[in-house]
Amino acid sequence: MKYYIGRINTWKAPNNKCEELNREIKTYENTLVADELSRKALMEQVRQTVERLNAAYPRTRKLVVVTRQGSVICHPEQRVSDNDAVFSFELMPVRRSYRFAEGGCPAIPEGCAGSLTEGGEDGRA
């Protein structure tokens, strides 16, 4: 299954660590994630980025990344309130792809790529 990261929510950075983290995380905005393995690799990369910045800024509060049902939230390890998040985003499953094809059905649901016929995408040689 493919996933899509649309809008990434970031909040005003209280320190340089959060500002740097927000800049790096914003690079994932509008990203298509190819499959489950890529999704797991992306999550690991986000966690490694947070850990690297935690090590680079030891005098600030440690940040953690929490994932729940497609939501990714980064906040301090010991939360003070529900409003202390640094960033959050959703990994939305891609339900279908759209491809223009003259005289054919353009909407191809995920997992139906095998329905294309021999020759070309629209069945013509």
Side-chain angles (χ1 to χ4, degrees):
M1 174 176 282
K2 291 182 184 178
Y3 297 93
Y4 180 74
I5 300 171
R7 183 168 174 244
I8 295 178
N9 302 307
T10 58
W11 287 270
K12 185 174 183 207
N15 54 39
N16 289 338
K17 175 170 86 173
C18 293
E19 186 176 323
E20 188 175 336
L21 179 59
N22 282 343
R23 253 193 330 269
E24 288 192 37
I25 291 302
K26 279 291 207 180
T27 63
Y28 296 114
E29 198 164 58
N30 298 322
T31 299
L32 185 63
V33 181
D35 53 21
E36 192 65 29
L37 182 62
S38 299
R39 185 187 70 80
K40 289 178 182 178
L42 171 73
M43 295 312 308
E44 186 57 33
Q45 188 171 358
V46 168
R47 282 192 176 91
Q48 287 176 0
T49 299
V50 169
E51 288 303 314
R52 178 179 54 80
L53 290 172
N54 280 333
Y57 295 91
R59 298 181 71 189
T60 60
R61 293 191 315 178
K62 185 177 177 183
L63 299 175
V64 294
V65 177
V66 178
T67 58
R68 284 187 217 126
Q69 300 173 346
S71 296
V72 179
I73 302 167
C74 179
H75 58 76
E77 189 172 45
Q78 296 173 345
R79 293 193 83 162
V80 176
S81 72
D82 288 338
N83 299 328
D84 61 356
V86 178
F87 70 83
S88 70
F89 62 86
E90 300 281 329
L91 276 162
M92 307 295 291
V94 175
R95 289 184 280 181
R96 66 179 161 243
S97 298
Y98 181 86
R99 185 177 304 139
F100 176 75
E102 290 184 30
C105 179
I108 301 172
E110 279 298 304
C112 294
S115 65
L116 298 175
T117 57
E118 295 287 325
E121 291 185 49
D122 60 356
R124 289 184 262 167

